[in-house]
Amino acid sequence: MSDQIKYRKIIHVDMDAFYASVEQMDNPSLRGKPLAVGGSEIRGVVSAASYEARKFGVRSAMSGVQAKRNCPELLFVRPRFDRYKEISTKIRKIFHDYTDLVEPLSLDEAYLDVTQNKKGNPSASLLAQEIRKRIFDEVGLTASAGISINKFVAKIASDYNKPNGQKTVNPDEVEDFLENLDIKKFYGIGKVTTEKMYQHGIFTGKDLKLKTKEYLEQHFGKSGGFYYNTVRGIHTSEVKPDRISKSVAAEHTFNENLTSEIFMQERLEGIATELEKRLKKYNISGKTVTLKIKYSDFTTQTRSKTLPYFISDKGLLFETAKELLYQERMKDSVRLLGISLNNLNTEIKKTIVVQLRFEF
């Protein structure tokens, strides 16, 4: 491990149940109660759940019906993305008091490189404590933090002492920390890859470390080299404060499942209009249009087409999406449609998602 990587000081700050916590802060009557944002007991999907709701197994991306089944006392509130963005802006201003190397991942989390910081404080752990205290004092919300030598370990560490806590993994602790980690806790390893890891006898970081790079690349493709390095604490990705979009997307969850392509076509036109607005705002165009379809059983399908020229016009977006819609028959009724554009005409580093109005 190079000295440059070994001694980098990275903080990953993650707000605690951000959307739900904002709602509870703004409406005291919701405090201490199981709360879901972005769903309903009849329709929709949970965007965020309070810690009171999580005790009952309510999670983000869960259907409102299932969430209510898990927690009969669950309260639902409409998401207010303008408010969340307003709070997020205040939090990021606090971050920038410490370093200009701030890389937001979403409204509620960010990486900070404090190797060289504006406070001249050599302790990243003390800086994280101070940042979390300021967020609580100035904004009224709690945050958790992970501190380590790279982004990968810092992000895993931030989840350890949630809510309202932090964990530091010092340079000489990194490899032991990763070896003892359950493989499903590794950032970037989802359910499908976890199951595949299990099939290869990989249950912990230590099991992963026993596999050769050639073995991992043979069975996990290009990701194999990534897994080989990260379990050894090697992750060279820098904190990038000026990330530009690699794709722009808009999607819509419907009040009732759609069974007719004609109705779907009508909705796609509105989604294309919303997508055009965001593209124009950032002066972005792209060549690859992807149609996202989520069926009533929550399975998701994507269909893509790459054009020989850049587009950003809603008419071309809609026509391409419509062509993809009729590419093959639907396997079930549809609860969500989305259009994304990538292969952009910009330097590519981040995903922008247009948050459309939720229906209940």
Side-chain angles (χ1 to χ4, degrees):
M1 191 182 301
S2 72
D3 289 342
Q4 179 184 2
I5 301 304
K6 182 177 180 180
Y7 294 110
R8 186 179 293 158
K9 299 175 182 178
I10 307 297
I11 302 173
H12 177 255
V13 179
D14 193 6
M15 300 303 298
D16 298 323
F18 183 55
Y19 295 173
S21 295
V22 171
E23 297 300 336
Q24 290 177 322
M25 177 178 68
D26 289 352
N27 185 351
S29 70
L30 297 175
R31 293 175 188 173
K33 297 179 180 178
L35 178 71
V37 178
S40 76
E41 57 188 285
I42 300 174
R43 194 68 188 164
V45 177
V46 175
S47 288
S50 68
Y51 282 99
E52 296 86 356
R54 294 182 189 188
K55 293 176 182 177
F56 294 88
V58 178
R59 297 286 184 269
S60 61
M62 177 179 286
S63 72
V65 172
Q66 182 61 53
K68 189 69 173 179
R69 191 176 297 137
N70 287 6
C71 179
E73 303 301 316
L74 189 65
L75 302 174
F76 294 88
V77 298
R78 293 175 178 271
R80 299 179 297 149
F81 291 107
D82 288 344
R83 176 60 172 158
Y84 308 148
K85 186 174 181 180
E86 176 189 355
I87 296 292
S88 179
T89 299
K90 292 180 180 178
I91 294 168
R92 289 181 190 175
K93 285 181 179 178
I94 294 174
F95 294 159
H96 281 279
D97 284 345
Y98 295 83
T99 177
D100 289 327
L101 295 177
V102 177
E103 180 180 339
L105 300 179
S106 59
L107 292 178
D108 62 343
E109 61 176 320
Y111 292 115
L112 289 72
D113 188 330
V114 295
T115 311
Q116 302 292 328
N117 60 82
K118 296 178 181 180
K119 302 296 183 180
N121 190 335
S123 173
S125 297
L126 291 177
L127 287 173
Q129 285 181 356
E130 185 176 322
I131 289 168
R132 290 173 47 241
K133 184 177 186 302
R134 282 192 58 189
I135 292 172
F136 183 76
D137 291 343
E138 298 173 27
V139 180
L141 299 173
T142 63
S144 297
I147 305 97
S148 195
I149 61 172
N150 61 45
K151 291 159 67 174
F152 182 82
V153 180
K155 183 167 177 65
I156 296 173
S158 67
D159 198 43
Y160 254 69
N161 293 316
K162 270 185 164 290
N164 196 25
Q166 66 181 59
K167 180 175 179 61
T168 299
V169 183
N170 291 310
D172 59 351
E173 301 170 336
V174 168
E175 291 200 44
D176 283 343
F177 173 76
L178 292 173
E179 282 185 9
N180 291 308
L181 201 65
D182 190 312
I183 202 67
K184 66 185 179 184
K185 296 285 188 181
F186 274 68
Y187 175 54
I189 296 183
K191 289 183 179 179
V192 174
T193 305
T194 295
E195 289 300 322
K196 189 173 181 181
M197 289 274 185
Y198 289 169
Q199 291 169 12
H200 287 271
I202 302 172
F203 299 93
T204 66
K206 187 174 183 179
D207 296 330
L208 178 62
K209 200 171 183 179
L210 291 174
K211 302 297 183 183
T212 65
K213 186 176 182 181
E214 291 72 23
Y215 181 94
L216 293 172
E217 289 178 339
Q218 177 185 349
H219 294 284
F220 297 93
K222 292 181 180 178
S223 297
F226 171 78
Y227 301 146
Y228 180 86
N229 286 328
T230 51
V231 76
R232 289 166 172 78
I234 302 170
H235 185 72
T236 59
S237 176
E238 298 179 356
V239 172
K240 303 178 181 70
D242 298 312
R243 303 190 310 166
I244 303 172
S245 60
K246 69 177 180 181
S247 70
V248 186
E251 59 186 37
H252 203 139
T253 302
F254 308 120
N255 249 344
E256 297 181 357
N257 293 341
L258 303 182
T259 56
S260 166
E261 281 88 346
I262 297 298
F263 292 144
M264 296 177 202
Q265 180 179 315
E266 292 174 357
R267 298 307 182 96
L268 280 177
E269 190 166 11
I271 295 170
T273 300
E274 291 291 339
L275 183 53
E276 181 194 55
K277 290 178 183 177
R278 181 56 61 95
L279 291 166
K280 298 296 185 187
K281 178 179 179 180
Y282 289 94
N283 193 27
I284 291 173
S285 58
K287 291 184 177 181
T288 302
V289 178
T290 298
L291 174 66
K292 176 182 176 182
I293 305 164
K294 181 177 285 187
Y295 293 102
S296 55
D297 63 357
F298 287 87
T299 59
T300 301
Q301 181 185 55
T302 58
R303 307 171 183 177
S304 298
K305 179 177 181 178
T306 299
L307 304 171
Y309 44 81
F310 290 102
I311 67 169
S312 61
D313 175 74
K314 63 183 179 183
L316 291 172
L317 290 166
F318 172 58
E319 288 302 319
T320 307
K322 185 169 68 171
E323 180 183 337
L324 294 169
L325 179 69
Y326 289 101
Q327 194 175 73
E328 59 182 275
R329 294 187 64 180
M330 298 292 163
K331 68 172 189 176
D332 203 345
S333 58
V334 172
R335 63 178 289 109
L336 176 149
L337 287 173
I339 306 172
S340 64
L341 186 68
N342 53 22
N343 195 3
L344 306 180
N345 63 338
T346 59
E347 184 182 2
I348 304 206
K349 294 178 178 160
K350 181 185 175 185
T351 300
I352 301 171
V353 177
V354 181
Q355 295 282 3
L356 299 187
R357 177 178 60 84
F358 279 79
E359 291 186 343
F360 289 83

